Amino acid sequence: MNKFISYLHHLKSNWAIFIGAAAGIHIGLNEPQLIKVVSPLGQFYLDMLTMCVLPILLTAIALSIGRLLNQPDSHRFVSRLSWVFLGGIFAASATGTFFGMMFNPGSHLDTASLDAIGNVIQDLSAVDLAVDLNAPYQPPKDSSLLQAFFFTLVPSNIFSALANGYTIKVLFFAILFGFAIGTIKHSVAEHICTSFEAIYSAFSKLVQWLMYVFPFGLCGLLAATLSQIGSDAILAMIKFIPVVILTFIGWFVLMCLVLWHRTGTFWYSLSALKEPITVSLGTANSMASLPSALNALIDKFGYQKQKVDLLVPLTFNLCRIGPTLYFALATVFVVQIYNLDIGLLTVAVIIIGSVLAGTATAGSSGVSMLTMLTLVSGPLGLPLDAVLVLFVVIDPIVAPFRVLAIVHSSCAIISVVLPKPDVQQNALSERSQP
């Protein structure tokens, strides 16, 4: 039995993950007849992971806020968190704008690229985007944007929100419920906290078991994703796609430096986040990476569990680094496509608008969030409807990097908010364990 368990642990190794990814890439690009065989494995893994995420989100947030309110330094903690959130999201927007202006992905396109753009738009012009984009953003007619935003927060039925996977509604309920727990009698609140902790631990254990099937799920997800990418779309965005990937890599390196500064070690911090990084790239789903990010920050870095359980879901859902950076870069690309001048006022609108648009994607994922680009293009007077199709078509390439920015940046932001951990001591104790 012990021998079987030791063999089973090999499925969580770097080699198993690499082989699964390589097989998925090969099938997606060269073996289309096998996609129907392996893609259900990816969907099964993602569905199982999603099943565990929302209960973890609900219990972790409510439990953490309920216990945090009883601590004397809670006000100072919240103040520091707010400033770091704002600094991080504005830095991401400015970085996307800077890289877009430096590399000019929408300027001086050759004839082949322009023809490909026209072909993609013409081929998909008859597609009903309202269906394809899964309920796109539509400005309310008789109410303000702020009012509409708050209406989307409140779940009329929390069980329905859990069943339908409405992350932002579950998050809002968990925050309110956590505040309620923190204000009731301590003895009663402790009973609720104990029950929530048991639920949290049980679902976390399920997620750990799921990592044994991750190489197979990764193979199916990559194969299904790569099969959706057309050659016309790649030709049309031949300059934009490399700039996007380069920008996200640059941001990733910057966050690695932040983690290095806060933890005192570069390679261990990178190795400790291997699992959330791999899951985010493989699934292109930030919430699927939540359990592994929690485990890494608590077990590998040694941060306080109570605060990590609160901060990780909050940063994933509210500090939307990935979409914000991408929206700034995409807006600069559209401005260059239409040959508009980029002055200081335009740059300011892009940076602030991308922050607002990125924040508005809380609770949404995939191509549905791309419709939030209208929050940036509208004030600039950009006709986004035509080129939006291009962003939809290339999203399978971009989405994994956008999600990686959310997940990895959240871990870096948490390292800035919380006191510096003794990572070297934690690494030594980890090596000493059998």
Side-chain angles (χ1 to χ4, degrees):
M1 185 65 181
N2 291 333
K3 201 168 186 179
F4 172 74
I5 293 175
S6 66
Y7 282 132
L8 202 60
H9 278 299
H10 288 302
L11 292 174
K12 297 175 70 174
S13 67
N14 293 338
W15 281 108
I17 294 172
F18 175 78
I19 292 171
I25 293 172
H26 174 72
I27 293 172
L29 295 178
N30 303 310
E31 306 288 346
Q33 72 277 7
L34 296 179
I35 292 174
K36 291 183 179 180
V37 178
V38 299
S39 61
L41 296 174
Q43 192 60 46
F44 168 79
Y45 173 79
L46 197 55
D47 289 345
M48 289 288 291
L49 204 54
T50 305
M51 175 189 74
C52 299
V53 165
L54 286 181
I56 290 175
L57 174 68
L58 174 60
T59 53
I61 286 284
L63 184 63
S64 301
I65 291 180
R67 288 179 170 167
L68 180 67
L69 291 178
N70 295 320
Q71 294 187 0
D73 63 339
S74 59
H75 295 294
R76 186 172 55 186
F77 172 75
V78 172
S79 175
R80 180 176 176 83
L81 176 64
S82 302
W83 283 111
V84 174
F85 269 29
L86 284 173
I89 200 166
F90 271 98
S93 183
T95 300
T97 305
F98 172 75
F99 271 76
M101 294 173 63
M102 182 171 66
F103 290 103
N104 293 316
S107 300
H108 309 297
L109 296 178
D110 55 33
T111 304
S113 299
L114 292 174
D115 290 342
I117 290 176
N119 291 335
V120 171
I121 293 175
Q122 184 177 2
D123 291 342
L124 298 178
S125 60
V127 174
D128 184 2
L129 289 178
V131 175
D132 283 357
L133 298 185
N134 187 17
Y137 167 80
Q138 293 180 350
K141 295 180 180 178
D142 301 322
S143 59
S144 67
L145 179 64
L146 188 63
Q147 182 181 351
F149 174 73
F150 279 111
F151 281 155
T152 63
L153 290 178
V154 183
S156 58
N157 186 325
I158 183 57
F159 299 103
S160 175
L162 284 165
N164 290 286
Y166 296 146
T167 306
I168 194 67
K169 293 178 183 288
V170 175
L171 178 65
F172 181 76
F173 171 81
I175 292 173
L176 287 183
F177 195 64
F179 275 106
I181 292 174
T183 57
I184 61 179
K185 190 186 297 185
H186 179 73
S187 59
V188 178
E190 197 55 37
H191 285 297
I192 300 175
C193 291
T194 302
S195 301
F196 271 31
E197 195 156 10
I199 295 171
Y200 172 88
S201 300
F203 277 98
S204 296
K205 180 62 71 174
L206 285 175
V207 170
Q208 292 176 23
W209 292 345
L210 276 176
M211 287 308 298
Y212 290 113
V213 300
F214 178 60
F216 306 101
L218 181 61
C219 174
L221 288 168
L222 286 177
T225 299
L226 291 174
S227 66
Q228 300 170 10
I229 303 169
S231 58
D232 282 345
I234 295 176
L235 180 60
M237 308 293 271
I238 194 67
K239 290 184 66 177
F240 181 69
I241 294 174
V243 171
V244 170
I245 295 174
L246 180 63
T247 303
F248 277 118
I249 291 175
W251 181 262
F252 178 83
V253 172
L254 178 62
M255 292 299 100
C256 285
L257 295 177
V258 171
L259 282 163
W260 184 13
H261 171 71
R262 295 297 299 174
T263 62
T265 172
F266 182 85
W267 294 112
Y268 179 78
S269 62
L270 192 61
S271 173
L273 293 174
K274 176 195 71 176
E275 192 171 301
I277 288 172
T278 308
V279 173
S280 61
L281 285 172
T283 63
N285 187 315
S286 60
M287 296 312 296
S289 310
L290 187 144
S292 56
L294 288 170
N295 292 335
L297 291 170
I298 295 169
D299 298 335
K300 304 288 187 180
F301 289 96
Y303 286 115
Q304 187 181 351
K305 180 180 182 301
Q306 175 188 324
K307 290 185 177 179
V308 169
D309 286 345
L310 171 65
L311 286 175
V312 171
L314 280 179
T315 50
F316 275 31
N317 285 279
L318 299 181
C319 195
R320 307 285 286 174
I321 296 293
T324 299
L325 191 152
Y326 183 60
F327 287 168
L329 189 56
T331 304
V332 173
F333 172 75
V334 176
V335 168
Q336 292 168 351
I337 284 284
Y338 288 104
N339 294 318
L340 300 179
D341 293 330
I342 302 181
L344 289 178
L345 181 60
T346 303
V347 170
V349 170
I350 292 173
I351 292 175
I352 297 173
S354 298
V355 169
L356 295 175
T359 305
T361 64
S364 61
S365 60
V367 294
S368 61
M369 70 169 59
L370 296 178
T371 56
M372 295 301 172
L373 271 168
T374 55
L375 293 177
V376 196
S377 63
L380 294 173
L382 295 174
L384 186 67
D385 293 344
V387 293
L388 181 61
V389 176
L390 294 169
F391 295 122
V392 172
V393 174
I394 67 164
D395 203 63
I397 302 175
V398 174
F401 296 95
R402 191 171 59 226
V403 172
L404 173 63
I406 294 175
V407 174
H408 190 250
S409 300
S410 295
C411 296
I413 286 170
I414 290 169
S415 74
V416 175
V417 173
L418 297 179
K420 290 184 178 181
D422 191 355
V423 172
Q424 293 181 344
Q425 180 62 36
N426 204 55
L428 289 174
S429 63
E430 186 180 324
R431 291 194 195 101
S432 64
Q433 292 177 359

